[in-house]
Amino acid sequence: MFKEIKNKYLRYSLIFLFFIIIFFSALQLNFLWLFGYSPSVRDIKTPTLRVGSELYTSDGKLIGRYFKENRTPVNYEEISHSIINALVATEDVRFYKHWGIDAQAVGRAVIGLGKDGGASTITQQLAKNLYRTRYNKSQGLLIKIPLVRTLIVKLKEWMTAVKLESNYSKNDIITMYLNTVSFGNNAYGIKTASRIYFDKEAKELSTNDAAMLVGMLKGTSLYNPTKNPAKALERRNVVLAQMFKYKYLSKDSLAELSKEPVKLKEGKMQDGSDGDSYLRAAVAKYLEKWATDNGYDLYEDGLKIYTTIDSKLQKYAEEAVAEQMKTLQRRFYSVWGNEDPWYDSEKQKVNYPDRAMKNLPIYALLQKKFRSQPDSVEAYFNKKKRMQIFTYKGDRDTLFSTLDSIRYYGKILNTGMMTMEPASGKIKVWVGGIDHKFFKYDHVNQSKRQAGSTFKPFAYLTALEQGMSPCDKFTDKPVKIAYQDKGETKYWEPKNADYSVTYQEMSLRWAMARSVNTITAQVTEKVGWDNVVKYAHICGIDSHLESVPSVSLGPNDVSVYEMVKAYATFMNKGIKTDPILVEKITDQDNNLIDEFKPKTKRVLTEEIAWLMTYMFRGGMEEPRGTSQALWEWPNLFKKNNQIGGKTGTSSDYVDAWYMGLTKDLVTGVWVGCDERTAHFKNGEQGEGSRTALPIFAKFMEKVYLDPTSGYTYGPFPKATVEITRTYNCPSPQFVRDTTTTDSVVVDSTEFIPEIPETVTPTAVEPEVKKEEKKTEPVQNQPAIAVPLTKKEERELKRKQRQEEREKKNNGEN
């Protein structure tokens, strides 16, 4: 068709134009995968800035961020004019005149006269930042040809720049550019850079601030003011000179500003944007499948994630944990002094540091390297080096060897705490440990530990499910239970707290409240330990449970998360509710992307659930109930408030638990060392009522004393269905001033001794405040009703027999 054109110049021009069109079309379409990816019209209209996602509490407090590139976008109106002027003067003086490609600059670059910067415009740089046009993964088969590759990359940037100019205003383009560009030190975007270098908002930047930041764009390392202040100053003044040249500055202003030194003020982004946390990691895990299924990236898609966490309750929980754990750590050091706390269940000393050292990957490598030089291996682990360690007064720099570190952290107590609304399934509190920086392991959902007596309620639930009532009675007496183990008959003989029995009849409610091991064992034998396991799983325990005679005493490992979920089933009228950690997710413009609702399933009748709640109240209401240490916090019992709960302690006081119930919330707390052979010596020091229960008490006290918390005093709800079982069966009341604690092995009746003020130090012990002795009397605390001691009971029975004989004799007479 071109042969018909007589004018050869016109003909050649049209042929050239035709091939240019064909070439650009092939470039755009990635013909035969020769040219690589080019952004489509849809990509242009919905650009991704690779913005990190933000994590919020349910009440809108920013508590964390996920990002690969630390950036937070801003609008044009939020940017200082000095930044705009400095950028245009230095990088693209004809920005407001060209249409994405500066023909004059290209011409000057081709003939070697480019003195005012390169030919690449701000729009082209934006195209490169947004669409990664120079990344190898964006290239096609022609990438291997050097000159062709350069040409293709440049042409694609031109095409993308033109598309951007045709879809966005100049202000939009320069805003997107400033939101995407890197300023070094993991600061992406002008908002982040302004905060990190000057602790200012982008709108507050001075001319000199702006000149320094724009100057860094030529080389974020070379002109970084924190690393190369002299180079940064020199480059800043070059930018100021450019601003003067293009009439953005007067001569006097240039002279004055150029004399000023670089003034930095290190800042941080909003609360929650720095570092990591247990909650941030838990949410990432929680949304892992959701993100995959829905094609989102938490680290680049700029999501706003609204958790179910209540910022006030979370704060109160963290405060309660910090207060109690300081006290417990001090108690732990006081108990052990210079003695190592690592002993197994047979009370044999354990060389924990040596075992932990040999489990390190580096140990095996050193063993191979120094096969005949064991001293060299030992020297490596004993070599002192500077490191930062955790203390209760903040991080501390010290000289520690690897073995020092192992010994130090092997004596640190840790905790996990979770609070949930049983009706809504919303998790309101998540405390995964004492310090995420040093202890990454989350003790809410990652750690699984022996549940101790907090598992006993599942035995009593099974009894109710099999037709018993809270008033059915069993006798506290010696128990010997036969069971089969690999075809062999074996016997289990559970012991009570003080290794004695009272021979007293107790209702199921009283026995659960007192946490009597012998009665729990009898109940378990009667209902069947397989059934106890079944109902634990039905209520929400997901972990594998060994079905053994002692299952109700909590030898199996479970998580705080599971226990809270299971206990919430009782409080939610028998409806098991899978806890939710996220309520909703929106985009940057607050458009709703997804909402989250809990999965629910009725697993118990309302009557059984109400009866279990009534049983839990026994911890406070029954004689020697194991929750009665809560009376030490009288603020918990105003306005007819009711609290139910269950303490738990595993064998040898390794794991301590408290499960606390109110009309609105279910809270689970675990306390112990990550190293299981480290533990307290006796129940007075390490039982659940003395370690985990106070965390719950202090937390709830703070919640109740805050009228804005949204959680109020009050009794448990009345039954909404007919209760067909007998439940109102008061236990014998023998008033005596005492209390109780709870354990699988020990149920002590003594208060803990006062902790000495002096703590025997270890290598570098975590700093804790002196434990304050309570001097104020507890107001309105009722006398706690307890049964007679063994001696008192024998005397009572003797008198009763004597009275019966006298009555009989009187009757005969």
Side-chain angles (χ1 to χ4, degrees):
M1 61 179 177
F2 293 111
K3 292 181 179 179
E4 297 176 359
I5 301 172
K6 303 299 183 182
N7 188 314
K8 65 177 182 179
Y9 297 108
L10 178 58
R11 184 168 68 249
Y12 292 148
S13 298
L14 290 174
I15 292 172
F16 177 74
L17 180 60
F18 175 77
F19 279 106
I20 288 292
I21 293 173
I22 293 295
F23 179 75
F24 273 95
S25 297
L27 194 68
Q28 175 63 34
L29 296 173
N30 190 19
F31 180 68
L32 296 179
W33 294 276
L34 294 173
F35 304 99
Y37 159 80
S38 289
S40 65
V41 174
R42 183 175 181 274
D43 294 332
I44 295 294
K45 290 185 176 180
T46 56
T48 173
L49 302 183
R50 285 177 290 281
V51 177
S53 297
E54 296 175 333
L55 195 63
Y56 292 89
T57 59
S58 59
D59 48 335
K61 301 289 178 67
L62 179 65
I63 53 173
R65 295 177 67 225
Y66 303 95
F67 57 81
K68 293 177 182 175
E69 299 176 349
N70 186 12
R71 79 171 89 244
T72 302
V74 292
N75 298 321
Y76 180 81
E77 295 75 20
E78 299 175 89
I79 302 173
S80 165
H81 287 299
S82 295
I83 278 286
I84 306 294
N85 296 340
L87 182 63
V88 171
T90 308
E91 296 292 325
D92 189 0
V93 72
R94 287 172 47 79
F95 174 71
Y96 291 102
K97 297 178 182 178
H98 62 65
W99 39 273
I101 303 170
D102 188 349
Q104 290 186 20
V106 171
R108 288 196 304 270
V110 170
I111 62 176
L113 297 175
K115 296 180 181 178
D116 297 320
S120 184
T121 65
I122 288 174
T123 315
Q124 287 174 243
Q125 293 180 49
L126 174 61
K128 180 176 64 177
N129 292 341
L130 276 181
Y131 304 109
R132 310 296 205 195
T133 53
R134 298 191 179 189
Y135 279 21
N136 286 344
K137 68 179 182 180
S138 299
Q139 309 307 320
L141 299 176
L142 298 177
I143 190 175
K144 297 180 180 179
I145 308 174
L147 292 177
V148 174
R149 177 178 60 204
T150 303
L151 177 63
I152 289 173
V153 166
K154 204 64 183 176
L155 289 175
K156 283 203 291 187
E157 284 180 6
W158 285 0
M159 291 169 59
T160 305
V162 172
K163 291 176 190 175
L164 286 168
E165 291 276 349
S166 63
N167 281 277
Y168 297 99
S169 68
K170 290 290 185 180
N171 288 351
D172 288 338
I173 290 171
I174 206 164
T175 301
M176 283 192 285
Y177 174 81
L178 287 170
N179 279 330
T180 59
V181 73
S182 170
F183 291 91
N185 287 355
N186 197 27
Y188 291 83
I190 190 63
K191 180 180 178 71
T192 306
S194 301
R195 182 60 63 191
I196 286 177
Y197 289 108
F198 300 108
D199 199 21
K200 295 179 180 179
E201 293 296 333
K203 196 175 183 66
E204 300 170 347
L205 292 173
S206 67
T207 302
N208 260 346
D209 298 337
M212 194 211 77
L213 290 177
V214 169
M216 289 178 66
L217 299 178
K218 185 168 183 171
T220 54
S221 295
L222 181 61
Y223 300 112
N224 191 309
T226 60
K227 298 176 181 177
N228 298 307
K231 286 284 186 183
L233 177 63
E234 180 184 331
R235 178 62 185 165
R236 183 205 69 182
N237 289 343
V238 169
V239 175
L240 291 174
Q242 285 293 103
M243 294 177 72
F244 165 69
K245 179 177 180 179
Y246 293 106
K247 299 184 171 40
Y248 291 111
L249 280 182
S250 67
K251 188 173 183 179
D252 291 341
S253 295
L254 172 64
E256 183 178 346
L257 292 172
S258 297
K259 294 177 184 177
E260 290 184 9
V262 173
K263 298 176 182 177
L264 300 178
K265 182 182 179 183
E266 183 180 357
K268 295 181 179 179
M269 293 297 291
Q270 300 177 52
D271 291 343
S273 67
D274 298 302
D276 204 350
S277 69
Y278 294 107
L279 185 57
R280 179 183 176 279
V283 171
K285 184 68 176 175
Y286 183 85
L287 292 176
E288 191 172 56
K289 185 177 185 302
W290 176 89
T292 300
D293 292 347
N294 293 277
Y296 284 100
D297 187 333
L298 297 186
Y299 297 85
E300 292 194 344
D301 286 343
L303 305 174
K304 289 185 177 180
I305 303 163
Y306 291 88
T307 69
T308 58
I309 298 297
D310 184 295
S311 64
K312 288 185 177 180
L313 267 63
Q314 181 71 17
K315 175 176 175 286
Y316 295 147
E318 290 174 355
E319 289 174 352
V321 163
E323 292 167 13
Q324 177 67 1
M325 293 308 292
K326 289 177 186 178
T327 299
L328 292 180
Q329 192 64 58
R330 180 171 172 268
R331 183 189 302 172
F332 191 77
Y333 284 129
S334 178
V335 164
W336 288 101
N338 288 325
E339 185 184 356
D340 286 337
W342 305 300
Y343 287 84
D344 62 19
S345 59
E346 303 298 324
K347 303 191 184 308
Q348 298 298 311
K349 192 168 185 178
V350 174
N351 190 346
Y352 162 69
D354 183 69
R355 169 166 53 81
M357 175 188 71
K358 291 177 179 177
N359 285 336
L360 294 173
I362 188 66
Y363 182 83
L365 296 175
L366 291 171
Q367 285 284 91
K368 290 181 181 179
K369 184 176 181 180
F370 302 107
R371 289 184 185 277
S372 58
Q373 299 173 278
D375 290 347
S376 297
V377 177
E378 185 177 339
Y380 175 88
F381 286 102
N382 281 297
K383 183 181 179 181
K384 302 282 186 182
K385 50 194 170 187
R386 186 163 296 280
M387 66 173 66
Q388 198 173 65
I389 61 169
F390 163 82
T391 79
Y392 276 102
K393 283 189 176 181
D395 305 347
R396 173 185 286 181
D397 291 323
T398 188
L399 284 174
F400 256 15
S401 69
T402 302
L403 273 174
D404 290 336
S405 179
I406 290 172
R407 292 183 61 83
Y408 176 70
Y409 286 114
K411 300 177 183 180
I412 301 290
L413 290 166
N414 221 312
T415 188
M417 176 180 181
M418 174 178 148
T419 298
M420 169 185 167
E421 286 181 347
S424 68
K426 295 177 181 178
I427 299 171
K428 310 308 291 183
V429 164
W430 188 292
V431 181
I434 54 175
D435 191 320
H436 186 270
K437 180 178 178 181
F438 294 94
F439 308 93
K440 302 295 185 188
Y441 203 53
D442 194 312
H443 298 86
V444 170
N445 66 342
Q446 287 182 304
S447 176
K448 293 186 178 184
R449 303 295 289 256
Q450 287 188 348
S453 295
T454 57
F455 208 83
K456 288 177 180 175
F458 299 115
Y460 293 94
L461 165 65
T462 308
L464 295 181
E465 286 286 354
Q466 293 188 5
M468 297 187 210
S469 78
C471 293
D472 283 0
K473 292 184 178 180
F474 285 75
T475 302
D476 175 19
K477 63 183 180 180
V479 177
K480 186 175 183 179
I481 297 174
Y483 65 99
Q484 295 296 312
D485 182 18
K486 299 178 181 178
E488 180 183 354
T489 300
K490 294 184 177 180
Y491 297 92
W492 175 55
E493 299 182 62
K495 304 297 181 183
N496 277 336
D498 55 1
Y499 298 94
S500 67
V501 291
T502 64
Y503 293 95
Q504 189 167 11
E505 271 196 338
M506 298 182 193
S507 67
L508 290 184
R509 187 180 193 241
W510 190 10
M512 187 176 108
R514 279 192 55 187
S515 201
V516 181
N517 294 336
T518 58
I519 292 181
T520 303
Q522 292 175 64
V523 171
T524 302
E525 182 182 28
K526 184 168 184 176
V527 301
W529 39 86
D530 287 345
N531 289 320
V532 174
V533 168
K534 181 182 89 170
Y535 279 104
H537 283 318
I538 283 174
C539 288
I541 302 297
D542 299 315
S543 294
H544 172 72
L545 302 173
E546 289 291 337
S547 182
V548 293
S550 62
V551 64
S552 300
L553 273 60
N556 286 295
D557 284 356
V558 294
S559 69
V560 172
Y561 179 93
E562 292 174 287
M563 291 297 285
V564 172
K565 177 172 67 168
Y567 271 60
T569 301
F570 304 131
M571 296 300 299
N572 194 27
K573 299 182 178 180
I575 298 174
K576 183 181 73 171
T577 303
D578 289 343
I580 59 172
L581 190 53
V582 175
E583 283 189 88
K584 66 178 181 179
I585 298 176
T586 71
D587 62 17
Q588 284 288 317
D589 298 321
N590 296 317
N591 298 310
L592 183 65
I593 294 174
D594 207 347
E595 286 185 292
F596 296 80
K597 303 292 182 184
K599 294 179 180 178
T600 60
K601 180 182 179 182
R602 174 166 293 285
V603 295
L604 306 175
T605 66
E606 284 193 47
E607 180 182 10
I608 295 293
W610 187 88
L611 287 172
M612 282 303 298
T613 301
Y614 176 73
M615 297 271 283
F616 282 118
R617 283 167 44 191
M620 290 299 299
E621 297 171 0
E622 293 284 350
R624 289 181 65 187
T626 60
S627 290
Q628 290 180 3
L630 290 173
W631 287 120
E632 295 181 32
W633 288 269
N635 284 320
L636 297 179
F637 299 99
K638 296 178 179 179
K639 301 179 182 180
N640 196 32
N641 194 47
Q642 287 181 326
I643 294 177
K646 188 71 193 76
T647 56
T649 315
S650 68
S651 299
D652 300 318
Y653 321 103
V654 173
D655 304 292
W657 293 76
Y658 189 70
M659 302 298 300
L661 313 174
T662 70
K663 65 182 178 67
D664 300 309
L665 300 169
V666 175
T667 298
V669 181
W670 166 86
V671 171
C673 286
D674 286 321
E675 169 48 38
R676 294 191 185 215
T677 60
H679 49 78
F680 283 100
K681 290 185 176 181
N682 58 52
E684 295 174 351
Q685 304 148 351
E687 287 180 339
S689 62
R690 296 305 177 194
T691 53
L693 178 146
I695 292 177
F696 167 79
K698 292 176 181 180
F699 163 65
M700 287 307 305
E701 185 176 53
K702 293 172 187 286
V703 172
Y704 284 141
L705 292 178
D706 180 358
T708 67
S709 72
Y711 297 93
T712 58
Y713 294 100
F716 287 110
K718 294 182 179 179
T720 56
V721 296
E722 181 184 0
I723 304 302
T724 61
R725 314 282 177 91
T726 304
Y727 64 89
N728 188 10
C729 42
S731 300
Q733 302 287 314
F734 303 101
V735 179
R736 193 173 55 163
D737 185 18
T738 186
T739 188
T740 186
T741 53
D742 170 56
S743 170
V744 169
V745 177
V746 175
D747 285 316
S748 172
T749 58
E750 303 296 329
F751 286 110
I752 64 165
E754 181 182 345
I755 303 301
E757 293 185 5
T758 305
V759 180
T760 305
T762 55
V764 178
E765 87 183 26
E767 300 180 23
V768 293
K769 290 184 179 179
K770 174 181 173 181
E771 185 175 3
E772 296 179 2
K773 180 181 178 182
K774 292 187 177 180
T775 56
E776 295 184 7
V778 178
Q779 301 297 325
N780 303 319
Q781 178 174 332
I784 299 172
V786 299
L788 299 175
T789 63
K790 194 173 181 180
K791 181 178 179 182
E792 291 169 337
E793 190 174 6
R794 285 198 299 268
E795 179 65 17
L796 178 63
K797 287 181 178 180
R798 186 187 65 78
K799 289 182 179 179
Q800 288 174 340
R801 287 194 297 270
Q802 183 178 350
E803 289 173 358
E804 288 172 0
R805 284 196 298 270
E806 290 174 354
K807 287 180 182 179
K808 186 176 181 180
N809 292 333
N810 291 334
E812 290 176 352
N813 294 330

